PDB file of all heavy atoms in Angstrom:
ATOM      1  N   TYR A 172       2.727  -6.614  10.237  1.00 97.00           N
ATOM      2  CA  TYR A 172       3.862  -7.522  10.049  1.00 97.00           C
ATOM      3  C   TYR A 172       3.994  -8.037   8.617  1.00 97.00           C
ATOM      4  O   TYR A 172       5.108  -8.356   8.181  1.00 97.00           O
ATOM      5  CB  TYR A 172       3.748  -8.703  11.021  1.00 97.00           C
ATOM      6  CG  TYR A 172       4.190  -8.353  12.413  1.00 97.00           C
ATOM      7  CD1 TYR A 172       3.284  -7.819  13.334  1.00 97.00           C
ATOM      8  CD2 TYR A 172       5.508  -8.535  12.821  1.00 97.00           C
ATOM      9  CE1 TYR A 172       3.677  -7.483  14.616  1.00 97.00           C
ATOM     10  CE2 TYR A 172       5.909  -8.202  14.108  1.00 97.00           C
ATOM     11  CZ  TYR A 172       4.996  -7.680  15.004  1.00 97.00           C
ATOM     12  OH  TYR A 172       5.399  -7.340  16.271  1.00 97.00           O
ATOM     13  N   ASP A 173       2.902  -8.126   7.888  1.00 97.00           N
ATOM     14  CA  ASP A 173       3.006  -8.593   6.505  1.00 97.00           C
ATOM     15  C   ASP A 173       3.414  -7.478   5.544  1.00 97.00           C
ATOM     16  O   ASP A 173       3.506  -7.716   4.326  1.00 97.00           O
ATOM     17  CB  ASP A 173       1.702  -9.250   6.049  1.00 97.00           C
ATOM     18  CG  ASP A 173       0.496  -8.331   6.145  1.00 97.00           C
ATOM     19  OD1 ASP A 173       0.413  -7.539   7.102  1.00 97.00           O
ATOM     20  OD2 ASP A 173      -0.386  -8.409   5.267  1.00 97.00           O
ATOM     21  N   HIS A 174       3.697  -6.297   6.065  1.00 98.00           N
ATOM     22  CA  HIS A 174       4.168  -5.179   5.243  1.00 98.00           C
ATOM     23  C   HIS A 174       5.473  -4.583   5.774  1.00 98.00           C
ATOM     24  O   HIS A 174       6.190  -3.916   5.023  1.00 98.00           O
ATOM     25  CB  HIS A 174       3.093  -4.093   5.161  1.00 98.00           C
ATOM     26  CG  HIS A 174       1.865  -4.537   4.428  1.00 98.00           C
ATOM     27  ND1 HIS A 174       1.600  -4.199   3.121  1.00 98.00           N
ATOM     28  CD2 HIS A 174       0.829  -5.338   4.818  1.00 98.00           C
ATOM     29  CE1 HIS A 174       0.463  -4.755   2.732  1.00 98.00           C
ATOM     30  NE2 HIS A 174      -0.028  -5.444   3.757  1.00 98.00           N
ATOM     31  N   LEU A 175       5.740  -4.776   7.029  1.00 98.00           N
ATOM     32  CA  LEU A 175       6.969  -4.276   7.654  1.00 98.00           C
ATOM     33  C   LEU A 175       7.667  -5.482   8.290  1.00 98.00           C
ATOM     34  O   LEU A 175       7.327  -5.895   9.396  1.00 98.00           O
ATOM     35  CB  LEU A 175       6.643  -3.213   8.699  1.00 98.00           C
ATOM     36  CG  LEU A 175       7.828  -2.597   9.440  1.00 98.00           C
ATOM     37  CD1 LEU A 175       8.730  -1.822   8.493  1.00 98.00           C
ATOM     38  CD2 LEU A 175       7.341  -1.680  10.565  1.00 98.00           C
ATOM     39  N   ASP A 176       8.621  -6.061   7.564  1.00 98.00           N
ATOM     40  CA  ASP A 176       9.241  -7.322   7.948  1.00 98.00           C
ATOM     41  C   ASP A 176      10.682  -7.090   8.365  1.00 98.00           C
ATOM     42  O   ASP A 176      11.548  -6.838   7.520  1.00 98.00           O
ATOM     43  CB  ASP A 176       9.173  -8.303   6.779  1.00 98.00           C
ATOM     44  CG  ASP A 176       9.731  -9.666   7.129  1.00 98.00           C
ATOM     45  OD1 ASP A 176       9.284 -10.244   8.140  1.00 98.00           O
ATOM     46  OD2 ASP A 176      10.625 -10.147   6.404  1.00 98.00           O
ATOM     47  N   ALA A 177      10.926  -7.152   9.663  1.00 98.00           N
ATOM     48  CA  ALA A 177      12.264  -6.851  10.183  1.00 98.00           C
ATOM     49  C   ALA A 177      13.347  -7.767   9.612  1.00 98.00           C
ATOM     50  O   ALA A 177      14.434  -7.283   9.248  1.00 98.00           O
ATOM     51  CB  ALA A 177      12.251  -6.912  11.711  1.00 98.00           C
ATOM     52  N   PRO A 178      13.138  -9.086   9.504  1.00 98.00           N
ATOM     53  CA  PRO A 178      14.209  -9.934   8.947  1.00 98.00           C
ATOM     54  C   PRO A 178      14.609  -9.545   7.531  1.00 98.00           C
ATOM     55  O   PRO A 178      15.793  -9.599   7.179  1.00 98.00           O
ATOM     56  CB  PRO A 178      13.601 -11.341   9.002  1.00 98.00           C
ATOM     57  CG  PRO A 178      12.610 -11.284  10.111  1.00 98.00           C
ATOM     58  CD  PRO A 178      12.020  -9.902  10.029  1.00 98.00           C
ATOM     59  N   THR A 179      13.640  -9.165   6.709  1.00 98.00           N
ATOM     60  CA  THR A 179      13.995  -8.733   5.352  1.00 98.00           C
ATOM     61  C   THR A 179      14.750  -7.415   5.381  1.00 98.00           C
ATOM     62  O   THR A 179      15.783  -7.257   4.700  1.00 98.00           O
ATOM     63  CB  THR A 179      12.724  -8.581   4.499  1.00 98.00           C
ATOM     64  OG1 THR A 179      12.057  -9.839   4.416  1.00 98.00           O
ATOM     65  CG2 THR A 179      13.065  -8.093   3.100  1.00 98.00           C
ATOM     66  N   LEU A 180      14.292  -6.475   6.164  1.00 98.00           N
ATOM     67  CA  LEU A 180      14.929  -5.163   6.188  1.00 98.00           C
ATOM     68  C   LEU A 180      16.348  -5.236   6.736  1.00 98.00           C
ATOM     69  O   LEU A 180      17.196  -4.411   6.369  1.00 98.00           O
ATOM     70  CB  LEU A 180      14.072  -4.191   6.994  1.00 98.00           C
ATOM     71  CG  LEU A 180      12.738  -3.853   6.320  1.00 98.00           C
ATOM     72  CD1 LEU A 180      11.763  -3.233   7.301  1.00 98.00           C
ATOM     73  CD2 LEU A 180      12.951  -2.936   5.123  1.00 98.00           C
ATOM     74  N   ARG A 181      16.626  -6.216   7.592  1.00 98.00           N
ATOM     75  CA  ARG A 181      17.991  -6.375   8.097  1.00 98.00           C
ATOM     76  C   ARG A 181      18.980  -6.718   6.996  1.00 98.00           C
ATOM     77  O   ARG A 181      20.190  -6.551   7.161  1.00 98.00           O
ATOM     78  CB  ARG A 181      18.028  -7.459   9.177  1.00 98.00           C
ATOM     79  CG  ARG A 181      17.560  -6.990  10.545  1.00 98.00           C
ATOM     80  CD  ARG A 181      18.022  -7.925  11.639  1.00 98.00           C
ATOM     81  NE  ARG A 181      17.420  -9.241  11.540  1.00 98.00           N
ATOM     82  CZ  ARG A 181      16.307  -9.593  12.176  1.00 98.00           C
ATOM     83  NH1 ARG A 181      15.667  -8.716  12.940  1.00 98.00           N
ATOM     84  NH2 ARG A 181      15.830 -10.820  12.059  1.00 98.00           N
ATOM     85  N   ARG A 182      18.482  -7.199   5.864  1.00 98.00           N
ATOM     86  CA  ARG A 182      19.380  -7.542   4.749  1.00 98.00           C
ATOM     87  C   ARG A 182      19.888  -6.302   4.004  1.00 98.00           C
ATOM     88  O   ARG A 182      20.821  -6.395   3.207  1.00 98.00           O
ATOM     89  CB  ARG A 182      18.639  -8.430   3.748  1.00 98.00           C
ATOM     90  CG  ARG A 182      18.165  -9.765   4.295  1.00 98.00           C
ATOM     91  CD  ARG A 182      17.578 -10.581   3.150  1.00 98.00           C
ATOM     92  NE  ARG A 182      17.060 -11.858   3.582  1.00 98.00           N
ATOM     93  CZ  ARG A 182      16.753 -12.858   2.745  1.00 98.00           C
ATOM     94  NH1 ARG A 182      16.922 -12.686   1.436  1.00 98.00           N
ATOM     95  NH2 ARG A 182      16.275 -13.991   3.194  1.00 98.00           N
ATOM     96  N   LEU A 183      19.247  -5.172   4.226  1.00 98.00           N
ATOM     97  CA  LEU A 183      19.593  -3.961   3.479  1.00 98.00           C
ATOM     98  C   LEU A 183      20.737  -3.209   4.137  1.00 98.00           C
ATOM     99  O   LEU A 183      20.850  -3.184   5.363  1.00 98.00           O
ATOM    100  CB  LEU A 183      18.374  -3.039   3.402  1.00 98.00           C
ATOM    101  CG  LEU A 183      17.202  -3.517   2.559  1.00 98.00           C
ATOM    102  CD1 LEU A 183      15.966  -2.667   2.852  1.00 98.00           C
ATOM    103  CD2 LEU A 183      17.557  -3.454   1.073  1.00 98.00           C
ATOM    104  N   PRO A 184      21.579  -2.545   3.347  1.00 98.00           N
ATOM    105  CA  PRO A 184      22.554  -1.625   3.937  1.00 98.00           C
ATOM    106  C   PRO A 184      21.838  -0.547   4.738  1.00 98.00           C
ATOM    107  O   PRO A 184      20.758  -0.078   4.350  1.00 98.00           O
ATOM    108  CB  PRO A 184      23.260  -1.027   2.716  1.00 98.00           C
ATOM    109  CG  PRO A 184      23.032  -1.996   1.609  1.00 98.00           C
ATOM    110  CD  PRO A 184      21.688  -2.613   1.871  1.00 98.00           C
ATOM    111  N   ARG A 185      22.414  -0.160   5.854  1.00 98.00           N
ATOM    112  CA  ARG A 185      21.731   0.780   6.739  1.00 98.00           C
ATOM    113  C   ARG A 185      21.684   2.198   6.182  1.00 98.00           C
ATOM    114  O   ARG A 185      20.983   3.056   6.732  1.00 98.00           O
ATOM    115  CB  ARG A 185      22.383   0.779   8.128  1.00 98.00           C
ATOM    116  CG  ARG A 185      22.256  -0.541   8.877  1.00 98.00           C
ATOM    117  CD  ARG A 185      20.794  -0.981   8.989  1.00 98.00           C
ATOM    118  NE  ARG A 185      20.640  -2.155   9.833  1.00 98.00           N
ATOM    119  CZ  ARG A 185      20.662  -3.401   9.387  1.00 98.00           C
ATOM    120  NH1 ARG A 185      20.808  -3.639   8.091  1.00 98.00           N
ATOM    121  NH2 ARG A 185      20.523  -4.419  10.218  1.00 98.00           N
ATOM    122  N   ASP A 186      22.406   2.469   5.108  1.00 98.00           N
ATOM    123  CA  ASP A 186      22.311   3.793   4.487  1.00 98.00           C
ATOM    124  C   ASP A 186      21.323   3.819   3.325  1.00 98.00           C
ATOM    125  O   ASP A 186      21.265   4.801   2.574  1.00 98.00           O
ATOM    126  CB  ASP A 186      23.687   4.283   4.041  1.00 98.00           C
ATOM    127  CG  ASP A 186      24.334   3.393   2.984  1.00 98.00           C
ATOM    128  OD1 ASP A 186      23.790   2.289   2.699  1.00 98.00           O
ATOM    129  OD2 ASP A 186      25.390   3.779   2.446  1.00 98.00           O
ATOM    130  N   THR A 187      20.525   2.760   3.164  1.00 98.00           N
ATOM    131  CA  THR A 187      19.486   2.753   2.134  1.00 98.00           C
ATOM    132  C   THR A 187      18.430   3.805   2.457  1.00 98.00           C
ATOM    133  O   THR A 187      17.893   3.834   3.564  1.00 98.00           O
ATOM    134  CB  THR A 187      18.805   1.374   2.059  1.00 98.00           C
ATOM    135  OG1 THR A 187      19.787   0.363   1.820  1.00 98.00           O
ATOM    136  CG2 THR A 187      17.760   1.348   0.958  1.00 98.00           C
ATOM    137  N   PRO A 188      18.100   4.700   1.525  1.00 98.00           N
ATOM    138  CA  PRO A 188      17.017   5.653   1.785  1.00 98.00           C
ATOM    139  C   PRO A 188      15.684   4.936   1.977  1.00 98.00           C
ATOM    140  O   PRO A 188      15.305   4.075   1.177  1.00 98.00           O
ATOM    141  CB  PRO A 188      17.009   6.528   0.528  1.00 98.00           C
ATOM    142  CG  PRO A 188      18.385   6.400  -0.030  1.00 98.00           C
ATOM    143  CD  PRO A 188      18.798   4.983   0.255  1.00 98.00           C
TER     144      PRO A 188
END
Side-chain angles (χ1 to χ4, degrees):
Y172 281 88
D173 58 323
H174 294 259
L175 180 64
D176 183 53
T179 299
L180 292 163
R181 280 198 294 267
R182 298 186 182 194
L183 292 166
R185 295 305 187 269
D186 62 351
T187 303

